[in-house]
Amino acid sequence: MKLFEHIMGFIILSLGIVFVIQARLGAGAIDAFNFYVAELLNDRFPFITIGRIAIINGIFATLLAYLLSKDKKVFIGIIFIFIVGNFIDAWQWLFSFVPEVWFSTFLMRLILASVGVIVIAIGVSFTILSGYPPSPFERLLLVLDKKINNLSVTKIFIDGTYLIFAIILGLIYRDVFNQIGLFTIVLTFLTGFLVKHFSYHINRLKSRKGAIKNVTQ
Protein backbone atom coordinates (compact mmCIF):
# COMPACT_ATOMS: atom_id res chain seq x y z
CA MET A 1 0.00 0.00 0.00
CA LYS A 2 2.81 2.43 0.91
CA LEU A 3 4.64 1.64 -2.33
CA PHE A 4 1.42 2.41 -4.22
CA GLU A 5 1.17 5.75 -2.37
CA HIS A 6 4.80 6.53 -3.23
CA ILE A 7 4.33 5.81 -6.94
CA MET A 8 0.99 7.64 -7.00
CA GLY A 9 2.71 10.64 -5.42
CA PHE A 10 5.24 10.80 -8.25
CA ILE A 11 2.48 10.45 -10.87
CA ILE A 12 0.54 13.31 -9.25
CA LEU A 13 3.74 15.35 -8.98
CA SER A 14 4.46 14.93 -12.71
CA LEU A 15 0.93 16.14 -13.53
CA GLY A 16 1.46 19.28 -11.44
CA ILE A 17 4.78 19.95 -13.17
CA VAL A 18 3.09 19.76 -16.59
CA PHE A 19 0.28 22.11 -15.46
CA VAL A 20 2.83 24.72 -14.36
CA ILE A 21 4.95 24.35 -17.51
CA GLN A 22 1.90 24.67 -19.75
CA ALA A 23 0.75 27.81 -17.92
CA ARG A 24 3.99 29.61 -18.91
CA LEU A 25 3.96 31.77 -15.80
CA GLY A 26 7.13 30.39 -14.26
CA ALA A 27 8.14 26.86 -13.32
CA GLY A 28 10.33 25.59 -10.51
CA ALA A 29 14.06 26.09 -11.07
CA ILE A 30 14.76 22.42 -11.89
CA ASP A 31 11.72 22.09 -14.15
CA ALA A 32 12.58 25.33 -15.96
CA PHE A 33 16.11 24.02 -16.52
CA ASN A 34 14.72 20.73 -17.92
CA PHE A 35 12.31 22.63 -20.18
CA TYR A 36 14.96 24.85 -21.75
CA VAL A 37 17.45 22.01 -22.25
CA ALA A 38 14.75 19.95 -24.00
CA GLU A 39 13.59 22.87 -26.15
CA LEU A 40 17.12 23.79 -27.23
CA LEU A 41 18.01 20.20 -28.15
CA ASN A 42 14.70 19.04 -29.61
CA ASP A 43 15.19 20.55 -33.09
CA ARG A 44 18.43 18.63 -33.55
CA PHE A 45 17.40 15.56 -31.56
CA PRO A 46 13.61 15.02 -31.90
CA PHE A 47 13.64 12.17 -29.36
CA ILE A 48 14.64 14.62 -26.62
CA THR A 49 11.69 15.48 -24.36
CA ILE A 50 11.27 17.28 -21.05
CA GLY A 51 10.63 13.95 -19.35
CA ARG A 52 13.81 12.39 -20.73
CA ILE A 53 15.86 15.40 -19.67
CA ALA A 54 14.27 15.11 -16.22
CA ILE A 55 15.45 11.48 -16.07
CA ILE A 56 19.00 12.40 -17.16
CA ASN A 57 19.04 15.26 -14.66
CA GLY A 58 17.83 12.92 -11.92
CA ILE A 59 20.56 10.39 -12.74
CA PHE A 60 23.14 13.20 -12.57
CA ALA A 61 21.79 14.25 -9.14
CA THR A 62 21.99 10.62 -7.98
CA LEU A 63 25.59 10.23 -9.14
CA LEU A 64 26.54 13.50 -7.44
CA ALA A 65 24.84 12.37 -4.21
CA TYR A 66 26.74 9.07 -4.40
CA LEU A 67 30.10 10.78 -4.98
CA LEU A 68 29.48 12.96 -1.93
CA SER A 69 28.13 10.22 0.36
CA LYS A 70 29.45 6.89 -1.05
CA ASP A 71 26.08 5.44 -0.07
CA LYS A 72 24.81 2.95 -2.68
CA LYS A 73 21.23 3.36 -1.39
CA VAL A 74 20.99 6.64 -3.31
CA PHE A 75 20.61 4.64 -6.53
CA ILE A 76 17.15 3.40 -5.46
CA GLY A 77 15.79 6.87 -6.26
CA ILE A 78 16.62 6.43 -9.96
CA ILE A 79 13.65 4.03 -10.26
CA PHE A 80 11.27 6.79 -9.24
CA ILE A 81 12.79 9.49 -11.47
CA PHE A 82 11.97 7.21 -14.42
CA ILE A 83 8.34 7.24 -13.26
CA VAL A 84 8.30 11.05 -13.04
CA GLY A 85 10.06 11.53 -16.40
CA ASN A 86 7.84 9.14 -18.33
CA PHE A 87 4.65 10.53 -16.80
CA ILE A 88 5.73 14.10 -17.57
CA ASP A 89 5.90 13.07 -21.23
CA ALA A 90 2.60 11.18 -20.94
CA TRP A 91 0.77 14.16 -19.42
CA GLN A 92 2.39 16.45 -22.01
CA TRP A 93 1.07 14.20 -24.77
CA LEU A 94 -2.44 14.23 -23.31
CA PHE A 95 -2.26 18.00 -22.92
CA SER A 96 -1.52 18.33 -26.66
CA PHE A 97 -5.17 17.39 -27.30
CA VAL A 98 -6.47 20.32 -25.24
CA PRO A 99 -7.40 23.28 -27.49
CA GLU A 100 -4.81 26.03 -27.00
CA VAL A 101 -7.56 28.66 -26.90
CA TRP A 102 -8.65 27.27 -23.51
CA PHE A 103 -5.51 28.68 -21.93
CA SER A 104 -4.92 31.70 -24.13
CA THR A 105 -5.98 34.24 -21.49
CA PHE A 106 -3.88 35.25 -18.49
CA LEU A 107 -6.69 34.32 -16.08
CA MET A 108 -6.92 30.74 -17.34
CA ARG A 109 -3.13 30.35 -17.26
CA LEU A 110 -3.13 31.74 -13.71
CA ILE A 111 -5.73 29.17 -12.67
CA LEU A 112 -3.79 26.37 -14.38
CA ALA A 113 -0.54 27.37 -12.67
CA SER A 114 -2.23 27.70 -9.27
CA VAL A 115 -3.80 24.26 -9.60
CA GLY A 116 -0.40 22.94 -10.70
CA VAL A 117 1.29 24.23 -7.54
CA ILE A 118 -1.36 22.56 -5.37
CA VAL A 119 -1.09 19.29 -7.31
CA ILE A 120 2.72 19.33 -6.96
CA ALA A 121 2.39 19.81 -3.18
CA ILE A 122 -0.10 16.93 -2.90
CA GLY A 123 2.20 14.66 -4.91
CA VAL A 124 5.22 15.51 -2.77
CA SER A 125 3.15 14.93 0.38
CA PHE A 126 2.28 11.39 -0.72
CA THR A 127 5.92 10.55 -1.52
CA ILE A 128 7.11 11.85 1.86
CA LEU A 129 4.41 10.11 3.90
CA SER A 130 5.00 6.76 2.18
CA GLY A 131 8.35 6.40 3.93
CA TYR A 132 10.03 5.12 0.76
CA PRO A 133 13.34 6.56 -0.56
CA PRO A 134 13.12 10.20 -1.65
CA SER A 135 13.60 11.47 -5.20
CA PRO A 136 17.20 12.01 -6.42
CA PHE A 137 16.97 15.75 -5.77
CA GLU A 138 15.63 15.29 -2.25
CA ARG A 139 18.41 12.76 -1.63
CA LEU A 140 21.00 15.22 -2.95
CA LEU A 141 19.49 17.86 -0.66
CA LEU A 142 19.94 15.59 2.37
CA VAL A 143 23.50 14.63 1.38
CA LEU A 144 24.59 18.25 0.84
CA ASP A 145 22.90 19.31 4.07
CA LYS A 146 25.27 17.05 6.02
CA LYS A 147 28.10 19.24 4.73
CA ILE A 148 26.37 22.62 4.92
CA ASN A 149 24.35 21.90 8.12
CA ASN A 150 21.53 24.24 7.18
CA LEU A 151 18.61 22.75 5.24
CA SER A 152 17.20 26.10 4.10
CA VAL A 153 20.58 27.29 2.82
CA THR A 154 21.15 23.94 1.08
CA LYS A 155 17.75 24.15 -0.63
CA ILE A 156 18.44 27.73 -1.74
CA PHE A 157 21.87 26.68 -3.03
CA ILE A 158 20.44 23.83 -5.18
CA ASP A 159 17.47 25.84 -6.47
CA GLY A 160 19.64 28.92 -7.02
CA THR A 161 22.19 26.95 -9.05
CA TYR A 162 19.49 25.47 -11.29
CA LEU A 163 17.79 28.87 -11.58
CA ILE A 164 21.00 30.53 -12.80
CA PHE A 165 21.47 27.82 -15.45
CA ALA A 166 17.77 28.06 -16.41
CA ILE A 167 18.04 31.83 -16.89
CA ILE A 168 21.17 31.42 -19.05
CA LEU A 169 19.43 28.76 -21.16
CA GLY A 170 16.29 30.92 -21.33
CA LEU A 171 18.33 33.79 -22.73
CA ILE A 172 19.84 31.45 -25.33
CA TYR A 173 16.30 30.23 -26.10
CA ARG A 174 15.32 33.93 -26.44
CA ASP A 175 12.27 33.57 -24.20
CA VAL A 176 13.53 33.59 -20.63
CA PHE A 177 10.10 34.51 -19.25
CA ASN A 178 8.48 31.42 -20.76
CA GLN A 179 9.39 29.40 -17.66
CA ILE A 180 10.98 31.99 -15.35
CA GLY A 181 8.37 34.18 -13.71
CA LEU A 182 5.98 34.74 -10.82
CA PHE A 183 5.34 31.09 -10.13
CA THR A 184 9.07 30.34 -9.97
CA ILE A 185 9.02 32.44 -6.79
CA VAL A 186 5.72 30.90 -5.64
CA LEU A 187 7.08 27.37 -6.02
CA THR A 188 10.31 28.28 -4.23
CA PHE A 189 8.70 29.80 -1.15
CA LEU A 190 5.17 28.35 -0.98
CA THR A 191 5.64 24.65 -1.81
CA GLY A 192 7.12 23.80 1.60
CA PHE A 193 4.14 25.32 3.41
CA LEU A 194 1.64 23.56 1.13
CA VAL A 195 3.41 20.19 1.53
CA LYS A 196 3.23 20.56 5.31
CA HIS A 197 -0.47 21.48 5.07
CA PHE A 198 -1.45 18.57 2.81
CA SER A 199 0.74 16.08 4.70
CA TYR A 200 -1.12 16.96 7.89
CA HIS A 201 -4.55 16.47 6.29
CA ILE A 202 -3.56 13.27 4.45
CA ASN A 203 -2.28 11.86 7.75
CA ARG A 204 -5.54 12.78 9.48
CA LEU A 205 -7.57 11.16 6.71
CA LYS A 206 -5.50 7.96 6.92
CA SER A 207 -5.83 7.90 10.72
CA ARG A 208 -9.60 8.35 10.46
CA LYS A 209 -9.89 5.54 7.92
CA GLY A 210 -7.77 3.32 10.16
CA ALA A 211 -10.00 4.05 13.16
CA ILE A 212 -13.16 3.27 11.15
CA LYS A 213 -11.62 0.03 9.90
CA ASN A 214 -10.75 -1.06 13.45
CA VAL A 215 -14.30 -0.31 14.67
CA THR A 216 -15.91 -2.29 11.85
CA GLN A 217 -13.67 -5.24 12.63
Side-chain angles (χ1 to χ4, degrees), residues 5 22 82 89 176 198 209 213:
E5 287 180 8
Q22 291 291 336
F82 272 91
D89 287 342
V176 70
F198 286 119
K209 283 185 176 180
K213 186 176 180 180

Side-chain angles (χ1 to χ4, degrees), residues 1-166:
M1 180 63 181
K2 287 189 174 181
L3 179 59
F4 172 75
E5 287 180 8
H6 198 60
I7 293 172
M8 183 177 69
F10 283 119
I11 294 172
I12 294 170
L13 169 64
S14 63
L15 176 61
I17 289 170
V18 170
F19 275 14
V20 172
I21 287 174
Q22 291 291 336
R24 304 189 311 280
L25 292 175
I30 295 172
D31 299 321
F33 172 83
N34 293 337
F35 172 87
Y36 286 123
V37 172
E39 286 294 304
L40 288 168
L41 293 178
N42 187 257
D43 286 341
R44 184 171 293 183
F45 307 102
F47 59 88
I48 293 292
T49 62
I50 300 173
R52 286 171 182 166
I53 293 298
I55 291 170
I56 294 170
N57 199 4
I59 292 172
F60 169 77
T62 300
L63 291 172
L64 183 57
Y66 174 72
L67 289 173
L68 292 171
S69 67
K70 304 301 181 183
D71 184 0
K72 293 180 181 178
K73 291 180 181 178
V74 301
F75 290 106
I76 298 174
I78 290 179
I79 299 170
F80 301 112
I81 197 63
F82 272 91
I83 294 172
V84 174
N86 282 307
F87 269 93
I88 285 175
D89 287 342
W91 293 125
Q92 285 274 82
W93 177 75
L94 288 173
F95 223 95
S96 67
F97 293 100
V98 178
E100 194 172 328
V101 68
W102 287 13
F103 302 107
S104 58
T105 66
F106 176 78
L107 177 61
M108 292 305 297
R109 288 162 57 203
L110 182 64
I111 292 171
L112 182 64
S114 301
V115 172
V117 172
I118 293 170
V119 172
I120 286 172
I122 292 172
V124 172
S125 298
F126 273 111
T127 63
I128 291 173
L129 293 174
S130 70
Y132 274 78
S135 73
F137 298 103
E138 289 167 338
R139 175 71 75 176
L140 179 61
L141 174 67
L142 296 173
V143 169
L144 281 175
D145 185 52
K146 290 181 180 179
K147 300 184 179 297
I148 297 175
N149 294 318
N150 188 315
L151 193 63
S152 296
V153 172
T154 308
K155 183 80 166 62
I156 291 170
F157 172 74
I158 293 174
D159 287 346
T161 301
Y162 272 103
L163 182 59
I164 291 169
F165 281 119

